[in-house]
Amino acid sequence: MKKNFELVLVRIAKMSNYTIGRLYVKLETPVSKCVDGEMVSEDKRYLCDTLEPKRRNLKKEKKVAGRTAIPEGRYRVMITKSYRFQRWLPLLLDVPGFSGIRIHAGNYPADTQGCILPGYNRKKGMVVNSRAALQQLMFEMTAAQERGEQVWITIS
């Protein structure tokens, strides 16, 4: 059975015009460690933070093009050539009601254009060091693909 490279995006702050999340890599084998004198088991490794557009309840609200976060779910991710950005970038496939959803560099909510921006949420309402976070993500995804693994992301 083929293994998958699993990303997990946990949305932690759903604000009025943007969404902050934490992006993790799911571990094949949970790791136990001592935290404050207690043993805890972790099943994922932190990679970076994320910035997305506003998360809307699409059952009650209308989608606003370029300003609506994609619905929660599990999506296949492929690295393909982006003609807009003129480089190879992750593309989320089969997102209901959305197309062209990429993971790309950017810092502010206006930069998202409906996509996911990796970085570090060190300043309110934005991510910094986005290019470095994207480079690390691309490195890990490319290595997984070279091992024959499919890349998936689960967004909650």
Side-chain angles (χ1 to χ4, degrees):
M1 186 172 167
K2 237 183 198 181
K3 291 190 316 185
N4 290 325
F5 181 77
E6 300 277 348
L7 296 167
V8 178
L9 174 53
V10 179
R11 292 171 171 158
I12 60 166
K14 299 170 185 171
M15 309 307 282
S16 62
N17 65 336
Y18 64 89
T19 304
I20 296 292
R22 292 265 171 5
L23 186 62
Y24 300 92
V25 175
K26 190 170 186 178
L27 300 174
E28 192 175 325
T29 306
V31 176
S32 295
K33 66 181 189 179
C34 187
V35 177
D36 294 330
E38 290 190 39
M39 291 300 288
V40 294
S41 180
E42 293 185 352
D43 64 348
K44 57 190 182 287
R45 172 178 51 85
Y46 171 80
L47 187 64
C48 64
D49 298 321
T50 61
L51 178 65
E52 298 176 82
K54 176 181 178 174
R55 195 253 175 233
R56 300 174 198 275
N57 182 344
L58 295 176
K59 292 177 182 165
K60 296 179 182 177
E61 298 176 71
K62 278 188 157 185
K63 172 185 167 186
V64 178
R67 293 198 210 155
T68 301
I70 65 172
E72 286 80 6
R74 184 172 184 258
Y75 307 105
R76 176 95 189 271
V77 183
M78 304 263 321
I79 296 175
T80 64
K81 178 80 179 233
S82 166
Y83 294 99
R84 177 176 174 217
F85 292 101
Q86 292 299 302
R87 60 183 304 188
W88 293 86
L89 291 170
L91 174 70
L92 280 68
L93 303 178
D94 302 320
V95 178
F98 291 76
S99 64
I101 302 300
R102 293 214 176 256
I103 300 174
H104 63 83
N107 302 108
Y108 301 98
D111 299 336
T112 64
Q113 295 296 305
C115 297
I116 300 169
L117 308 181
Y120 303 94
N121 183 225
R122 306 290 186 252
K123 296 183 180 179
K124 186 175 182 172
M126 67 179 291
V127 291
V128 298
N129 297 326
S130 186
R131 288 186 182 158
L134 178 61
Q135 184 175 5
Q136 179 64 34
L137 175 62
M138 291 286 290
F139 174 81
E140 295 202 29
M141 287 178 61
T142 302
Q145 288 181 327
E146 288 173 357
R147 292 188 303 266
E149 298 175 22
Q150 290 185 347
V151 179
W152 292 82
I153 186 167
T154 298
I155 301 174
S156 60

